[in-house]
């Protein structure tokens, strides 16, 4: 069963610890990261997303970033859009 993690409005340094816990709790399972509420993403949470992408790929699990339109520019600035094909939302 695919799990869904609802991401907070601000993915800044103060949100990083909880983000890491929420994601880690779902390791080994298909996962959807729902970004519909996110308005800002910082570098530390961007690094967590990169690690998540690589971990899920290595584990052979499906990972999807959903409803990320509000942070598409931030993802591009962090270098995630080209490297991980954010434009189609499948990671």
């Amino acid at each position: 069963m695919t799990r869904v993690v609802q991401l907070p409005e601000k993915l800044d340094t103060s949100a990083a610890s909880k983000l890491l816990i929420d994601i880690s709790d779902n390791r080994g399972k298909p996962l959807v990261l729902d970004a519909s509420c996110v308005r800002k993403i910082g570098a530390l949470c961007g690094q967590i997303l990169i690690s998540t992408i690589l971990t899920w790929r290595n584990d052979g699990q499906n990972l999807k970033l959903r409803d990320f339109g509000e942070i598409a520019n931030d993802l591009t600035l962090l270098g995630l859009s080209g490297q991980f094909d954010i434009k189609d939302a499948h990671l």
Side-chain angles (χ1 to χ4, degrees):
M1 174 180 227
T2 300
R3 305 286 179 105
V4 176
V5 171
Q6 180 69 50
L7 301 177
E9 183 176 346
K10 291 182 181 177
L11 282 174
D12 55 11
T13 302
S14 64
S17 180
K18 182 171 180 350
L19 175 64
L20 185 58
I21 290 168
D22 290 346
I23 289 172
S24 296
D25 285 348
N26 290 289
R27 184 165 182 186
K29 304 170 189 127
L31 182 63
V32 172
L33 300 175
D34 185 336
S36 60
C37 295
V38 181
R39 302 296 173 251
K40 177 184 175 184
I41 182 169
L44 184 57
C45 286
Q47 289 175 345
I48 292 170
L49 290 179
I50 290 169
S51 177
T52 300
I53 292 163
L54 296 174
T55 300
W56 259 247
R57 282 186 182 168
N58 189 50
D59 291 351
Q61 293 295 329
N62 291 324
L63 176 67
K64 182 176 180 183
L65 181 63
R66 177 171 71 193
D67 298 329
F68 60 90
E70 289 288 326
I71 58 167
N73 188 52
D74 290 349
L75 295 171
T76 299
L77 291 173
L78 291 169
L80 288 170
S81 62
Q83 188 173 5
F84 298 109
D85 203 17
I86 293 293
K87 64 181 178 285
D88 70 4
H90 294 282
L91 308 177

